[in-house]
Structure formats: C-alpha cells, structure tokens
Amino acid sequence: MSLNNLTLDLRSYSAETDNHLHDYHQLVLPVSGQLDISVGNQSGRVDSDQAAIISAGKDHGFSGSEGNCFVVADIPDQLAPEFEQLPAFIHLNPALNQYVRFLHQQLQQYNSASTQRQMLLLLIQLLQEQCGHQLRLDRRIAVARNYLDQHFNSAISQRQLAAVASLSPRQLGELFRKQLGMTPQQYVIEKRMQQAWQLLEQGHLSIQQVADAVGYSSLAAFSDRFRRHFDIPPSYFRRVGK
C-alpha cells in the first residue's frame, strides 16, 4: 500500500464472522452498533468509546451487530510505523471521540482525496498524542517532540530543534521521520491544525484569535492552510454552531 492510497470511509460489517489480514494498519472507530474483533490472540469489542488498531500483517476476525457503522481508516505502515507498538484496543479520550463525530459528519458528504488525507493525518496525530506514553520512541526524538508540543505556536528552526535533541539537523530529520512518519515541520503543521480545530469547535475565540493562538500572525495564511488541510474554511465551524 503506497502513501497515496490512504483511505478513510464509513463501513458496516456483517454478523457472519470473517477473517483476513492486510499489509497496512487499520483503525476502526465507533459510530453506532458493535463490532467484535479478534486480533492475533487478543479479543475485544469496538463500541461507544473504544476503538481497534489492527497492525499491518496481523490476522484478525470480526463480526458486527445489527445496524452497525464505523469510521475505518486504512494507513500504510510507513506513515505510522509506531502503530505496531500500540495495543489492539484503546479507549477514546474526549478529543478523539469529538473528532470521530466530526469525521462521521464529513464522510457523509463529498470530500476530495486531499481532504480525506488531511483528516486522516490529523486522526493519526490525535492517536499519537493519546498513546504517546505507550510508544517506545528514541529518547532524543521524544525530547524533540515534547519541545514541539510545547512551542508549536512559535517559529522553530531545524537547527534549533536539533540542538534541543542533541542531534545534527540531518540526523534529526531522518530519525524523526522514521519514528513518527513525518518531518518535524509536518508535525508542527499537524499540531497547529489540531489545536485550531479544537479552538474553533469550542467557539470561544474569533478566527483571528485562533490564528494567533496557533502561531499565524496572518489571518489569510491561517485560513489558507486550514482550508487546504480540510477543504473547508475556518468559518465552517461558525456556521455549524449557529
């Protein structure tokens, strides 16, 4: 599965048990109903606020309840290599639950391939943040990521970040991408977009204030980046909230 073949869609499953495996990671996120899944020697259920992470190459079987619906993401292992370190079943925190509801709403409408890709990248980012304590990251990359988490709304050069991590800029770029599936610059953008989405959803700040909060002094630059990420403008959340 190439990096261009990420998919994010709504699926329902038969009550008849099926078994298979695939060479990409798969996330199964609850919308309605239940899905009983066995992944390797683990068994569990996707329902309400629990999701399943099926690592690439893992044999798994599943059967669904009546009227089930799930947000399902197929992700190349190159994009999220750390997913193989995560448990098969995870509890969804409030931020992830909220985002799953947003995805469900968006996937019922037409979305371009680029829009789905950006929504999926943000989903991966949210999962990485929730499950970060369970990932066995190189200590230097963990330091770099923590620094970005705390300073994502500031301008940070590759050289500055490399010094924080006690690596050369080249080593930082290579190791960061290998362990987290993206460059430090991409990580900052995803972090900014995640925070912007949460602030816009809460509705307490103006769009300009949200832009300032995530590191964009230019409202036009922020709006353009947000639109390219989700194929919707920041004002979308204001219209939905009315």
Side-chain angles (χ1 to χ4, degrees), residues 140-186:
R140 297 163 297 180
I141 296 305
V143 168
R145 187 178 68 171
N146 288 340
Y147 186 85
L148 292 178
D149 286 344
Q150 296 171 25
H151 301 88
F152 68 91
N153 55 358
S154 302
I156 304 171
S157 69
Q158 184 91 341
R159 186 174 297 277
Q160 177 185 356
L161 186 62
V164 169
S166 300
L167 292 166
S168 71
R170 181 185 61 80
Q171 290 173 322
L172 172 69
E174 291 177 354
L175 195 54
F176 200 99
R177 178 184 284 277
K178 179 179 179 181
Q179 295 220 327
L180 294 177
M182 63 184 75
T183 67
Q185 182 182 24
Q186 290 170 329

Coordinates of all heavy atoms in Angstrom, one line a residue, residues 140-186:
R140 N 15.9 10.9 22.2 CA 16.1 12.2 21.6 C 14.9 12.7 20.8 O 14.6 13.9 20.8 CB 17.4 12.1 20.8 CG 18.7 11.8 21.6 CD 19.8 11.3 20.7 NE 19.5 10.1 20.0 CZ 20.3 9.4 19.2 NH1 21.5 9.9 18.9 NH2 19.9 8.3 18.6
I141 N 14.3 11.8 20.2 CA 13.1 12.1 19.4 C 11.9 12.5 20.3 O 11.1 13.4 20.1 CB 12.7 11.0 18.4 CG1 13.8 10.8 17.4 CG2 11.3 11.3 17.7 CD1 14.1 12.0 16.6
A142 N 11.8 11.8 21.5 CA 10.8 12.1 22.5 C 11.0 13.5 23.0 O 10.1 14.3 23.2 CB 10.9 11.1 23.6
V143 N 12.3 13.9 23.2 CA 12.6 15.3 23.6 C 12.2 16.3 22.6 O 11.6 17.3 22.9 CB 14.1 15.4 24.0 CG1 14.5 16.8 24.1 CG2 14.5 14.6 25.2
A144 N 12.5 16.0 21.3 CA 12.2 16.9 20.2 C 10.7 17.1 20.1 O 10.2 18.2 19.9 CB 12.8 16.4 18.9
R145 N 10.0 15.9 20.2 CA 8.5 16.0 20.1 C 7.9 16.8 21.2 O 7.0 17.6 21.0 CB 7.9 14.6 20.0 CG 6.4 14.6 19.7 CD 5.8 13.3 19.6 NE 5.8 12.6 20.8 CZ 5.2 11.4 21.0 NH1 4.5 10.8 20.0 NH2 5.2 10.8 22.2
N146 N 8.4 16.5 22.4 CA 7.9 17.3 23.6 C 8.1 18.8 23.4 O 7.3 19.6 23.8 CB 8.5 16.8 24.9 CG 8.0 15.4 25.2 OD1 7.0 15.0 24.8 ND2 8.8 14.7 26.1
Y147 N 9.3 19.1 22.9 CA 9.6 20.5 22.7 C 8.6 21.1 21.7 O 8.1 22.3 21.9 CB 11.0 20.7 22.2 CG 11.5 22.1 22.1 CD1 12.0 22.8 23.2 CD2 11.4 22.8 20.9 CE1 12.4 24.1 23.1 CE2 11.8 24.1 20.8 CZ 12.3 24.8 21.9 OH 12.7 26.1 21.8
L148 N 8.3 20.4 20.6 CA 7.4 20.9 19.6 C 6.0 21.0 20.2 O 5.2 22.0 19.8 CB 7.4 20.0 18.4 CG 8.7 20.0 17.5 CD1 8.5 19.0 16.4 CD2 9.0 21.4 17.0
D149 N 5.6 20.1 21.0 CA 4.3 20.1 21.6 C 4.1 21.4 22.5 O 3.0 21.9 22.6 CB 4.1 18.9 22.5 CG 3.8 17.6 21.7 OD1 3.5 17.7 20.5 OD2 4.0 16.5 22.3
Q150 N 5.2 21.8 23.1 CA 5.1 23.0 24.0 C 5.3 24.3 23.2 O 4.9 25.4 23.7 CB 6.2 22.9 25.1 CG 6.0 21.7 26.0 CD 7.1 21.5 27.0 OE1 7.9 22.4 27.3 NE2 7.3 20.2 27.4
H151 N 6.0 24.3 22.1 CA 6.3 25.5 21.3 C 5.8 25.5 19.9 O 6.3 26.3 19.1 CB 7.8 25.7 21.3 CG 8.5 25.8 22.7 ND1 8.9 24.6 23.4 CD2 8.7 26.8 23.5 CE1 9.4 25.0 24.6 NE2 9.3 26.3 24.7
F152 N 4.8 24.7 19.6 CA 4.3 24.6 18.2 C 3.8 25.9 17.6 O 3.8 26.1 16.4 CB 3.2 23.6 18.1 CG 1.9 23.9 18.8 CD1 0.9 24.6 18.1 CD2 1.7 23.6 20.1 CE1 -0.2 25.0 18.7 CE2 0.5 24.0 20.7 CZ -0.5 24.7 20.0
N153 N 3.4 26.9 18.5 CA 2.9 28.1 18.0 C 4.0 29.2 17.9 O 3.7 30.4 17.7 CB 1.8 28.7 18.9 CG 2.2 28.8 20.4 OD1 3.3 28.4 20.7 ND2 1.3 29.2 21.2
S154 N 5.2 28.8 17.9 CA 6.4 29.7 17.7 C 7.2 29.2 16.5 O 7.1 28.0 16.1 CB 7.3 29.7 19.0 OG 6.6 30.1 20.1
A155 N 8.0 30.1 16.0 CA 8.9 29.7 14.9 C 10.1 28.9 15.4 O 10.8 29.4 16.3 CB 9.3 31.0 14.1
I156 N 10.2 27.7 14.9 CA 11.3 26.8 15.4 C 12.1 26.4 14.2 O 11.5 25.7 13.3 CB 10.8 25.6 16.2 CG1 9.9 26.1 17.3 CG2 11.9 24.7 16.7 CD1 9.1 24.9 18.0
S157 N 13.4 26.6 14.1 CA 14.2 26.2 13.0 C 14.6 24.7 13.2 O 14.7 24.2 14.4 CB 15.4 27.1 12.9 OG 16.3 26.9 14.0
Q158 N 15.0 24.1 12.2 CA 15.5 22.7 12.2 C 16.8 22.6 13.1 O 17.0 21.7 13.9 CB 15.8 22.2 10.8 CG 16.2 20.7 10.8 CD 15.0 19.7 10.6 OE1 13.9 20.1 10.9 NE2 15.3 18.5 10.2
R159 N 17.6 23.7 12.9 CA 18.9 23.7 13.7 C 18.6 23.9 15.2 O 19.2 23.2 16.0 CB 19.7 24.8 13.2 CG 21.2 24.9 13.8 CD 22.0 25.9 13.1 NE 22.2 25.6 11.7 CZ 23.1 24.8 11.3 NH1 24.0 24.2 12.2 NH2 23.3 24.6 10.0
Q160 N 17.6 24.7 15.5 CA 17.3 24.9 16.9 C 16.7 23.6 17.5 O 17.1 23.2 18.6 CB 16.2 26.0 17.0 CG 15.7 26.3 18.4 CD 14.6 27.3 18.4 OE1 14.3 27.9 17.4 NE2 14.0 27.6 19.6
L161 N 15.9 23.0 16.8 CA 15.3 21.7 17.3 C 16.3 20.6 17.4 O 16.3 19.8 18.4 CB 14.1 21.3 16.4 CG 13.3 20.1 16.9 CD1 12.6 20.3 18.2 CD2 12.3 19.6 15.8
A162 N 17.2 20.6 16.5 CA 18.3 19.6 16.5 C 19.2 19.8 17.8 O 19.6 18.8 18.4 CB 19.1 19.7 15.3
A163 N 19.4 21.0 18.1 CA 20.2 21.3 19.3 C 19.5 20.8 20.6 O 20.2 20.3 21.5 CB 20.5 22.8 19.4
V164 N 18.2 21.0 20.6 CA 17.4 20.6 21.8 C 17.5 19.1 21.9 O 17.6 18.5 23.0 CB 15.9 21.0 21.6 CG1 15.1 20.3 22.6 CG2 15.8 22.5 21.7
A165 N 17.5 18.4 20.8 CA 17.5 16.9 20.8 C 19.0 16.3 20.8 O 19.1 15.1 20.8 CB 16.8 16.4 19.6
S166 N 20.0 17.2 20.8 CA 21.4 16.7 20.8 C 21.7 15.8 19.5 O 22.3 14.8 19.6 CB 21.7 15.9 22.0 OG 21.5 16.7 23.2
L167 N 21.1 16.3 18.4 CA 21.4 15.6 17.1 C 21.8 16.7 16.1 O 21.6 17.9 16.3 CB 20.1 14.9 16.6 CG 19.6 13.7 17.4 CD1 18.1 13.4 17.0 CD2 20.5 12.5 17.2
S168 N 22.3 16.2 15.0 CA 22.6 17.1 13.9 C 21.2 17.3 13.1 O 20.3 16.4 13.3 CB 23.6 16.5 12.9 OG 23.0 15.4 12.2
P169 N 21.0 18.4 12.4 CA 19.8 18.6 11.7 C 19.5 17.4 10.8 O 18.3 17.0 10.6 CB 20.0 19.8 10.9 CG 21.0 20.6 11.7 CD 21.9 19.6 12.3
R170 N 20.5 16.8 10.1 CA 20.2 15.7 9.2 C 19.8 14.4 10.0 O 18.8 13.8 9.7 CB 21.5 15.3 8.4 CG 21.3 14.1 7.5 CD 22.6 13.8 6.8 NE 23.6 13.3 7.8 CZ 23.7 12.1 8.3 NH1 22.7 11.2 8.0 NH2 24.6 11.8 9.2
Q171 N 20.5 14.2 11.1 CA 20.1 13.0 12.0 C 18.7 13.2 12.5 O 17.9 12.3 12.6 CB 21.1 12.9 13.1 CG 22.4 12.4 12.7 CD 23.4 12.4 13.9 OE1 23.4 13.3 14.7 NE2 24.2 11.4 14.0
L172 N 18.3 14.4 12.9 CA 17.0 14.7 13.5 C 15.9 14.4 12.4 O 15.0 13.7 12.7 CB 16.9 16.2 13.9 CG 15.5 16.6 14.3 CD1 15.1 16.0 15.6 CD2 15.5 18.1 14.4
G173 N 16.1 14.9 11.2 CA 15.1 14.7 10.2 C 14.9 13.3 9.8 O 13.8 12.8 9.7
E174 N 16.0 12.5 9.7 CA 15.9 11.1 9.4 C 15.3 10.3 10.5 O 14.4 9.5 10.2 CB 17.3 10.6 9.1 CG 17.9 11.1 7.8 CD 19.3 10.6 7.5 OE1 19.9 9.9 8.4 OE2 19.9 10.9 6.5
L175 N 15.7 10.5 11.7 CA 15.1 9.7 12.8 C 13.7 10.1 13.2 O 12.9 9.2 13.5 CB 16.0 9.9 14.1 CG 15.9 8.9 15.2 CD1 16.0 7.5 14.7 CD2 16.9 9.2 16.3
F176 N 13.4 11.4 13.1 CA 12.0 11.9 13.4 C 11.1 11.2 12.4 O 10.0 10.7 12.7 CB 12.0 13.4 13.3 CG 10.8 14.0 14.0 CD1 11.0 14.5 15.2 CD2 9.6 14.1 13.4 CE1 9.9 15.1 15.9 CE2 8.5 14.7 14.0 CZ 8.7 15.2 15.3
R177 N 11.4 11.3 11.1 CA 10.5 10.7 10.1 C 10.4 9.2 10.2 O 9.3 8.6 10.1 CB 11.1 11.0 8.7 CG 10.2 10.4 7.5 CD 10.9 10.6 6.2 NE 10.7 12.0 5.7 CZ 9.5 12.4 5.1 NH1 8.5 11.5 4.9 NH2 9.4 13.6 4.7
K178 N 11.5 8.5 10.6 CA 11.5 7.1 10.7 C 10.6 6.7 11.9 O 9.8 5.7 11.8 CB 12.9 6.5 11.0 CG 13.0 5.0 11.2 CD 14.4 4.6 11.4 CE 14.5 3.1 11.6 NZ 15.9 2.6 11.9
Q179 N 10.6 7.4 13.0 CA 9.9 7.0 14.2 C 8.4 7.6 14.2 O 7.5 6.9 14.8 CB 10.6 7.5 15.4 CG 11.9 6.8 15.6 CD 12.2 6.4 17.1 OE1 11.8 7.1 18.0 NE2 12.9 5.3 17.3
L180 N 8.2 8.7 13.6 CA 6.9 9.3 13.7 C 6.2 9.4 12.3 O 5.0 9.9 12.3 CB 7.0 10.7 14.3 CG 7.4 10.7 15.8 CD1 7.5 12.1 16.3 CD2 6.4 9.9 16.6
G181 N 6.9 9.0 11.3 CA 6.2 9.0 10.0 C 6.0 10.3 9.3 O 5.3 10.4 8.3
M182 N 6.7 11.4 9.8 CA 6.6 12.7 9.2 C 7.8 13.6 9.6 O 8.5 13.2 10.6 CB 5.3 13.4 9.6 CG 5.1 13.7 11.1 SD 3.5 14.4 11.5 CE 2.5 13.0 11.4
T183 N 8.0 14.7 8.9 CA 9.1 15.5 9.3 C 8.7 16.4 10.5 O 7.5 16.6 10.8 CB 9.5 16.4 8.1 OG1 8.4 17.4 7.9 CG2 9.8 15.6 6.9
P184 N 9.7 17.0 11.2 CA 9.3 18.0 12.2 C 8.4 19.1 11.8 O 7.5 19.5 12.5 CB 10.7 18.5 12.7 CG 11.6 17.4 12.4 CD 11.1 16.8 11.1
Q185 N 8.6 19.6 10.6 CA 7.8 20.7 10.0 C 6.4 20.2 9.8 O 5.4 20.9 10.2 CB 8.4 21.2 8.7 CG 7.5 22.3 8.1 CD 8.1 22.8 6.8 OE1 8.8 22.1 6.1 NE2 7.8 24.0 6.4
Q186 N 6.2 19.0 9.3 CA 4.9 18.4 9.1 C 4.2 18.2 10.5 O 3.0 18.4 10.6 CB 4.9 17.1 8.4 CG 5.3 17.3 6.9 CD 5.6 16.0 6.2 OE1 6.1 15.0 6.9 NE2 5.3 15.9 4.9

